[in-house]
Amino acid sequence: MVFATTFVLEQEPLQWWELPAAIKGWVQIAGAVAAFALAIFCLAYAIRRPAYASKTWSRQTRGVALLIALCGASYVLALLAVIGRGMGIGSAARNPGLLQAQPPPPEPVGTFSGLVDILLFVAGLFAILAVTLPLLVDLCTRIRFGRVLAIARLSVKEAVRSRVVWVFASMAIIFLFADWFVPYKPEDQVRNYVRVIYWSLAPLFLLTASLLGAFSIPADVKSQSIHTIVTKPVERFEIVLGRFCGYAALLTVGIGFLTAISLLYVARGVTPQAAKESFTARVPIYGDVLSFSGTGRTDKGESVGREWDYRSYISGPRVNMPQAPRQYAIWSFASLPVGFSETRLPYFEFTFDIFRLTKGQENRGVITNFSFVDGRYQQVPQFQAARDKMRDERARAQDALAKAADAKSKQGSSTAAIQTWRSEQQDALEDSLIDKFGIYEVTAEVLDYHTQVVGGDDKDKVGRKLARLLNMLQDPAQVKSRTREDGATSFLLNVMVSVDRQSAEQMLGVAKRDLYLLAAERPFWLNFIKGVMGMWFATLLMLGLAVALSTYLSGVIAWLCALFLFGMGLFSDSIRQIAEGTSYGGGVVESTVRILGKLPGGARLENSPAASVITGSDEVFRFFLRLFARIIPDVGRFDLHAYVANGYDISWMQVLFLDNFVVLLGYLLPWAVLAYYLMKYREVANPM
Amino acid sequence: MATNDVVVETRKLTKVYRDFWGRQKKVALRALNLQINRGEIFGLLGPNGSGKTTTIKLLLGLLFPTEGDALVFGQPSAEVKKNERIGYLPEESYLYRFLNAEETLDFYGRLFKLDANVRRQRAQSLIDIVGLSADKKRVLKEYSKGMRQRIGLAQALINDPELVILDEPTSGLDPLGTRWMKDLIVELREKGKTIIMCSHRLEDVQDICDRVAILYEGELQELNSVKVLLEDVDKLELQASGVQINEDLRRDLDEVIRRHGGKIERVGHPTTSLETLFLRIVAQSKAHPGRRYLPSVDGNKPGDEARPGSASAKIEEHVKRA
Ligand SMILES: Nc1ncnc2c1ncn2[C@@H]1O[C@H](COP(=O)(O)OP(=O)(O)O)[C@@H](O)[C@H]1O
Ligand SMILES: [Mg+2]
């Protein structure tokens, strides 16, 4: 189900520690494409030198030639290294696989896996430099902001006067009538409004951006008005930049305006239930690893046969399998904030899915145990032993307490006084157990798809205990005790979730983001704006794509291509999966064979020549698919409305800047370079 | 001539139009060699499709040569910086339809390194020069062909260019507009500018060009000064006023000519061109507003005054001067 009712991120946003690896990959791929283009250019130049090429080599030309030579040399070296390795000379260092249940890998994943890797990176870098050098030189020496601005202003004026901006008014229809078509439960009110607005605004702006971008330069070429511009001292790329900036400004104003109105629309008359559910922006601190115990695999729980495998499941005790090990979902935190206090209590929140193996308890939730456990217990049996010891100790202490209470009542103390004394003693006991064992246990009733806080109505009481535990765990002496012999530290805290014995035959569906420490709550409106910024990035991507394509293609074709690329971007996950060969049921050819032959997706194809032809053609297909997967934008990451709709804060740096903005730049830059060349070496008076 | 007086030079300039697959569609220009000097009005002449526009676009870098070179101010035509000193009026000036005249000139002015004040002043004075003061707030899509040509010329002059390239500047203009355009071109030359214009209307070129190149099917047929090209050295022309044509006069003239070894071919009244006639009518109706042509009611026919007479002499003179 796509419209899950809870916060779901199918794709983890890019992490900072992944950035070096991402940059490396980007340089290698973009560099290879650039090198390919350079190779074709050099070949064409050698065969037939264009008459307008200047006869003398400028400094810039010499620089480019040098870079091309260096790039070629690096590729040759890489090839030699590959051949050398094939013959056994020198062996590439292998990344050791990371072991599960160890601290997370902020180790330098981006570093190189061997000589070939480095050489490919270096060659790519040279190719990119060779290709961008003329552009950079132009940017520094020739391109004037004033002219870009003039063209941008022209674009805005043109668009405004041709009444393009009226499309923004069409949003009014949605505001007027959305209520008729959006049924909601009170707690889903904000969620649904945000969705409706997002799904109306996004297509509106994407379509406007694609139309503006794709048709502007071709229209100028067709009407020949571009002749009066390029015969002024205008660099060709200034036209591309000017068009892009002008329309970007226009769209920005439009988005800003509609965002303000939408915000008013959403914020009027929020029901109390919805306000509690999602009219906020929670700042969660997620566990670093979600692992499982007792399910057979550490990285996965049980599958309940749902097609959508975002969540995996742990089951409670089975009546017919009394010997089966207890199943745990374990969220491991490597670090947590320090200094919890009465005014700053740690609240853990969670949202789980329920899957029932037996009927009959429909209206009740699943009774679930939450154990907050010191990370030094590195194995489940270790933890269980400590826990049992703790329970014994508690039982004994409580016995003693009961006896002492009896004695007190015999001495004639009032019942109320005894009650108070006893609960104080009980409290002190819990504290001492936490201090001694580093374990704190809570039981809660989990309701289907609801964001709940551990402790429920008693969340402050639970929070106080958790504060004690977390503060203790972060004590420097404690941290030292978690340092292992190999120098690495184990996790700070494990949160172990299991289904209680009372809820046998029930299953809980969990994902990494389903449990978190609530670090702060921020205002909804700011989060709404951040969510729209993701859409704004997507709009800029569409605009840039359309403008870049329109430097060479005619308006309609450029528009269709931009829509096609962007549309494929919606499926970029699947395309990448097929390209990497990780999709279930094999590649396209294999799946077709499977469908025609009615073979199940998991069954192995027989070893036969036919089978190798099938998988072989999938290899070839995948190669082209991989190339293709690189030029389609990954647009899913700009869709941030799930955060807003469910009330989760969008982080400025990690989501907006790194995962959206940096990725947008990485995608648009090669297109900008392409547009630079297409525009510069185009005979504007001779449209193809 | 010193090399820095050569503003435009083409060497074996050739342009072959090709389709997407590189197949040859049309040889539009074949090995053109030209040198255009500072301060002259240079005409490119030829029938439709002879390669005039192609030549101009090659000079401007709108097209790239298939072979040969096009140098403007000694720089290759693809060089953008030379455009600071060039003004270009395209054959059909489609400017931005949603801008008015003022905004149009302001926009083009911003593409040059012009001070904001200079830009504004120049735009105003150009609007006055091209006669669009009354329409400067109207958007260009409402303009007639002639008005578009005028604003097109204004945008070409916004940078006070040294070299003005005009592609069919008089096309689409009425005779009055044509005259105005020609006067303006001559004025530009007097300010020391170099003008390259092309036309298929021979009389335009004849009136104002210093030198012409005649193209046909992309090949250069003739290149020389207009005077040299048109002067018929075998014939003699004589104009006189105050005498009537009669047999006596004819006989006397014949005698004189014979004595010098020639022969009279024709004696008669000179006919004027329709253009001259038209210009005169307009001038007269401006001088006497309210007069109109009333056919055959009484003897007062304005058409009578349209015959050559003393009133039209001034205009004729004016035309000759140009
Ligand atoms: N883009 C083009 N593609 C193919 N042929 C063209 C193109 N532009 C012009 N031509 C051809 O080149 C020849 C010269 O055209 P042009 O220079 O426009 O002539 P002129 O301006 O003298 O009327 C014509 O035969 C014309 O059909
Ligand atoms: Mg022409």
Side-chain angles (χ1 to χ4, degrees):
Chain A
M1 192 167 108
V2 181
F3 295 102
T5 45
T6 53
F7 182 49
V8 162
L9 281 186
E10 302 221 22
Q11 188 188 357
E12 285 286 315
L14 193 64
Q15 309 286 322
W16 283 105
W17 55 267
E18 292 173 307
L19 190 60
I23 291 175
K24 183 193 83 173
W26 185 87
V27 168
Q28 286 178 343
I29 301 281
V33 173
F36 183 69
L38 282 172
I40 290 181
F41 170 78
C42 291
L43 204 68
Y45 197 84
I47 292 173
R48 217 166 59 99
R49 196 153 158 274
Y52 51 85
S54 92
K55 269 111 208 153
T56 53
W57 282 32
S58 64
R59 280 226 313 272
Q60 183 184 319
T61 322
R62 264 178 271 152
V64 170
L66 177 69
L67 287 168
I68 293 178
L70 286 171
C71 162
S74 308
Y75 276 121
V76 169
L77 282 177
L79 190 68
L80 289 178
V82 169
I83 296 170
R85 201 169 60 188
M87 298 190 313
I89 310 165
S91 61
R94 293 230 145 248
N95 249 356
L98 290 157
L99 296 174
Q100 261 293 314
Q102 263 189 0
E107 293 150 36
V109 179
T111 46
F112 299 97
S113 65
L115 184 63
V116 178
D117 208 27
I118 295 175
L119 283 171
L120 286 180
F121 176 81
V122 171
L125 209 56
F126 281 131
I128 290 172
L129 279 178
V131 165
T132 50
L133 184 70
L135 171 61
L136 292 178
V137 169
D138 270 8
L139 273 178
C140 296
T141 60
R142 286 159 168 262
I143 287 179
R144 289 277 168 278
F145 183 66
R147 291 192 294 253
V148 175
L149 194 67
I151 295 172
R153 279 168 43 124
L154 173 82
S155 311
V156 173
K157 265 190 193 165
E158 237 184 333
V160 170
R161 296 198 181 162
S162 60
R163 307 203 172 82
V164 169
V165 286
W166 280 101
V167 299
F168 300 148
S170 66
M171 265 308 278
I173 298 171
I174 287 149
F175 292 134
L176 286 177
F177 300 113
D179 281 0
W180 296 4
F181 300 109
V182 188
Y184 57 80
K185 295 186 269 175
E187 73 263 28
D188 284 341
Q189 184 203 30
V190 170
R191 225 173 240 159
N192 285 345
Y193 277 173
V194 169
R195 264 184 213 137
V196 166
I197 285 177
Y198 191 90
W199 287 109
S200 338
L201 282 184
L204 181 77
F205 280 105
L206 289 174
L207 205 64
T208 314
S210 65
L211 285 170
L212 286 175
F215 284 93
S216 63
I217 293 177
D220 266 17
V221 170
K222 206 169 160 204
S223 73
Q224 303 187 4
S225 41
I226 201 166
H227 294 189
T228 52
I229 297 202
V230 297
T231 52
K232 305 278 183 284
V234 172
E235 291 294 326
R236 298 280 178 95
F237 195 53
E238 286 170 349
I239 300 175
V240 179
L241 281 182
R243 288 293 182 185
F244 178 81
C245 294
Y247 293 137
L250 186 74
L251 289 165
T252 305
V253 171
I255 289 182
F257 175 69
L258 285 185
T259 304
I261 295 182
S262 309
L263 203 50
L264 291 179
Y265 174 79
V266 176
R268 97 220 125 95
V270 179
T271 64
Q273 293 97 319
K276 196 163 153 243
E277 188 81 21
S278 51
F279 196 64
T280 175
R282 304 179 187 92
V283 183
I285 295 177
Y286 293 111
D288 298 282
V289 174
L290 168 62
S291 55
F292 294 87
S293 166
T295 58
R297 283 178 68 169
T298 53
D299 61 332
K300 252 197 176 125
E302 294 193 349
S303 167
V304 293
R306 285 194 183 159
E307 210 169 295
W308 192 51
D309 60 358
Y310 176 73
R311 289 198 165 83
S312 52
Y313 291 77
I314 51 169
S315 74
R318 301 270 174 88
V319 179
N320 53 358
M321 284 191 287
Q323 298 307 316
R326 192 75 181 270
Q327 294 193 353
Y328 289 100
I330 307 164
W331 282 264
S332 304
F333 291 79
S335 63
L336 286 169
V338 287
F340 290 106
S341 65
E342 187 60 36
T343 50
R344 213 174 126 244
L345 294 175
Y347 299 118
F348 280 85
E349 291 191 332
F350 60 91
T351 315
F352 295 147
D353 174 28
I354 294 178
F355 188 80
R356 302 178 191 280
L357 295 177
T358 56
K359 274 199 162 180
Q361 285 181 305
E362 272 303 327
N363 294 325
R364 273 197 75 199
V366 175
I367 309 297
T368 307
N369 296 325
F370 292 81
S371 305
F372 297 84
V373 182
D374 188 339
R376 83 184 116 106
Y377 301 113
Q378 281 174 25
Q379 263 128 36
V380 174
Q382 225 178 331
F383 150 70
Q384 282 170 333
R387 183 199 57 190
D388 292 345
K389 230 168 118 192
M390 182 183 80
R391 285 182 182 170
D392 285 350
E393 205 168 315
R394 180 189 286 128
R396 258 180 278 127
Q398 276 171 342
D399 277 353
L401 212 57
K403 276 183 196 135
D406 274 356
K408 269 185 187 281
S409 74
K410 276 179 195 140
Q411 280 163 17
S413 299
S414 76
T415 333
I418 294 174
Q419 277 287 318
T420 326
W421 176 81
R422 203 171 161 174
S423 74
E424 271 167 13
Q425 290 300 306
Q426 182 77 35
D427 210 43
L429 169 65
E430 290 300 333
D431 284 352
S432 72
L433 289 175
I434 288 174
D435 291 351
K436 183 165 176 194
F437 292 96
I439 295 174
Y440 179 65
E441 293 182 297
V442 190
T443 300
E445 181 179 351
V446 172
L447 302 170
D448 211 1
Y449 281 142
H450 257 287
T451 306
Q452 292 169 267
V453 57
V454 173
D457 294 338
D458 285 337
K459 64 175 183 180
D460 286 344
K461 209 174 132 210
V462 171
R464 261 171 233 127
K465 298 292 170 224
L466 286 172
R468 188 176 186 92
L469 176 67
L470 297 185
N471 286 342
M472 181 198 77
L473 293 182
Q474 310 222 57
D475 201 83
Q478 284 287 326
V479 173
K480 219 161 155 202
S481 80
R482 271 192 299 277
T483 309
R484 302 183 315 191
E485 293 106 67
D486 58 1
T489 48
S490 58
F491 285 112
L492 185 71
L493 174 78
N494 289 323
V495 182
M496 311 188 59
V497 172
S498 62
V499 179
D500 193 82
R501 214 167 285 120
Q502 301 170 52
S503 290
E505 305 294 311
Q506 309 290 320
M507 294 179 92
L508 280 185
V510 298
K512 193 176 156 198
R513 287 176 180 262
D514 281 354
L515 182 139
Y516 52 87
L517 172 67
L518 183 63
E521 291 199 64
R522 302 230 166 98
F524 174 83
W525 63 268
L526 184 62
N527 207 36
F528 187 85
I529 292 173
K530 289 190 207 166
V532 173
M533 279 177 79
M535 185 182 359
W536 181 62
F537 287 134
T539 310
L540 293 186
L541 186 142
M542 178 66 108
L543 179 66
L545 196 60
V547 170
L549 287 166
S550 77
T551 54
Y552 186 70
L553 303 172
S554 73
V556 183
I557 305 288
W559 184 63
L560 288 176
C561 283
L563 284 189
F564 175 74
L565 281 179
F566 199 95
M568 293 308 283
L570 296 174
F571 305 103
S572 63
D573 266 358
S574 326
I575 293 173
R576 241 158 250 174
Q577 269 176 20
I578 301 173
E580 312 292 339
T582 52
S583 87
Y584 181 70
V588 169
V589 181
E590 192 179 330
S591 339
T592 315
V593 171
R594 281 183 195 284
I595 290 166
L596 294 180
K598 300 202 176 77
L599 281 171
R604 281 185 64 88
L605 286 183
E606 273 173 68
N607 252 343
S608 67
S612 57
V613 168
I614 289 168
T615 44
S617 40
D618 272 340
E619 267 312 303
V620 176
F621 182 75
R622 268 190 210 124
F623 172 77
F624 286 103
L625 210 58
R626 228 169 295 160
L627 274 187
F628 181 64
R630 294 291 169 179
I631 63 163
I632 60 170
D634 179 9
V635 294
R637 58 175 11 108
F638 301 107
D639 176 2
L640 303 179
H641 86 284
Y643 288 92
V644 184
N646 294 292
Y648 288 92
D649 186 60
I650 299 167
S651 78
W652 282 111
M653 284 311 278
Q654 215 239 301
V655 174
L656 274 183
F657 178 73
L658 179 65
D659 188 58
N660 278 8
F661 181 68
V662 172
V663 170
L664 175 72
L665 276 191
Y667 182 75
L668 278 189
L669 280 182
W671 283 103
V673 175
L674 186 71
Y676 168 81
Y677 284 104
L678 289 180
M679 198 65 192
K680 183 151 185 159
Y681 295 104
R682 167 172 197 181
E683 290 189 297
V684 288
N686 188 16
M688 288 287 180
Chain B
M1 205 167 279
T3 36
N4 82 328
D5 272 353
V6 176
V7 174
V8 170
E9 184 174 5
T10 68
R11 301 188 197 127
K12 296 200 178 144
L13 188 61
T14 303
K15 179 66 194 178
V16 179
Y17 285 110
R18 295 176 191 279
D19 67 8
F20 181 81
W21 308 107
R23 286 176 304 201
Q24 179 169 327
K25 273 200 293 194
K26 171 87 193 170
V27 183
L29 201 62
R30 219 184 284 263
L32 177 70
N33 287 317
L34 280 182
Q35 282 202 341
I36 297 168
N37 304 318
R38 188 175 299 277
E40 69 176 340
I41 300 180
F42 189 91
L44 278 168
L45 215 61
N48 281 331
S50 55
K52 306 180 295 292
T53 300
T54 302
T55 309
I56 282 181
K57 285 177 175 171
L58 285 165
L59 293 179
L60 288 163
L62 290 169
L63 294 173
F64 303 136
T66 312
E67 244 158 71
D69 301 297
L71 299 175
V72 181
F73 298 118
Q75 294 170 5
S77 61
E79 175 59 52
V80 172
K81 285 211 174 105
K82 70 175 196 323
N83 292 349
E84 306 255 4
R85 301 152 75 186
I86 297 181
Y88 167 53
L89 170 67
E91 188 167 5
E92 310 228 12
S93 37
Y94 294 103
L95 306 179
Y96 290 94
R97 294 160 45 81
F98 292 103
L99 300 183
N100 64 32
E102 266 182 340
E103 289 169 329
T104 302
L105 293 188
D106 186 67
F107 165 64
Y108 286 107
R110 278 169 192 272
L111 302 179
F112 292 94
K113 281 186 229 128
L114 287 186
D115 196 56
N117 278 328
V118 177
R119 193 171 66 219
R120 226 164 293 136
Q121 275 167 18
R122 213 176 265 174
Q124 286 308 328
S125 75
L126 277 170
I127 285 174
D128 290 342
I129 289 174
V130 301
L132 288 173
S133 316
D135 302 297
K136 65 182 178 187
K137 296 285 184 200
R138 288 170 65 194
V139 289
L140 263 56
K141 66 175 168 186
E142 298 171 3
Y143 274 21
S144 70
K145 172 84 216 283
M147 289 159 88
R148 283 211 297 269
Q149 198 77 350
R150 284 161 189 266
I151 187 69
L153 184 70
Q155 67 79 28
L157 299 178
I158 190 76
N159 57 331
D160 194 21
E162 289 171 45
L163 169 65
V164 185
I165 299 180
L166 308 167
D167 196 343
E168 310 262 359
T170 56
S171 81
L173 293 181
D174 57 23
L176 205 62
T178 306
R179 187 69 256 156
W180 165 83
M181 181 68 87
K182 286 196 231 171
D183 288 349
L184 205 108
I185 293 169
V186 172
E187 219 170 276
L188 286 173
R189 177 185 56 190
E190 276 156 17
K191 284 192 198 151
K193 318 228 176 267
T194 313
I195 291 113
I196 302 173
M197 58 178 281
C198 76
S199 184
H200 59 273
R201 297 202 343 203
L202 309 176
E203 67 278 11
D204 294 356
V205 181
Q206 178 183 348
D207 287 351
I208 57 171
C209 286
D210 298 312
R211 288 198 304 148
V212 293
I214 298 176
L215 290 173
Y216 183 72
E217 288 289 315
E219 288 180 14
L220 184 64
Q221 307 289 331
E222 272 288 2
L223 172 66
N224 216 325
S225 77
V226 176
K227 203 160 149 261
V228 174
L229 283 177
L230 296 187
E231 213 169 40
D232 193 349
V233 286
D234 295 337
K235 305 232 162 109
L236 174 82
E237 198 180 64
L238 179 145
Q239 276 194 6
S241 57
V243 289
Q244 292 291 316
I245 300 173
N246 53 32
E247 272 309 300
D248 284 352
L249 177 71
R250 188 177 279 276
R251 207 174 43 238
D252 289 353
L253 284 174
D254 197 34
E255 196 187 306
V256 175
I257 302 288
R258 260 181 213 285
R259 200 170 334 128
H260 287 86
K263 169 176 165 281
I264 283 190
E265 284 181 353
R266 187 187 78 96
V267 175
H269 296 297
T271 55
T272 180
S273 67
L274 205 52
E275 185 195 352
T276 322
L277 173 67
F278 181 88
L279 288 173
R280 189 163 56 222
I281 292 173
V282 173
Q284 280 172 357
S285 70
K286 268 195 189 145
H288 311 277
R291 280 175 44 149
R292 71 179 81 119
Y293 177 69
L294 298 169
S296 71
V297 176
D298 58 349
N300 183 13
K301 283 186 205 160
D304 285 345
E305 289 173 39
R307 293 223 189 97
S310 58
S312 61
K314 261 197 200 115
I315 294 173
E316 228 117 280
E317 203 177 277
H318 176 88
V319 172
K320 282 279 138 55
R321 202 194 60 200

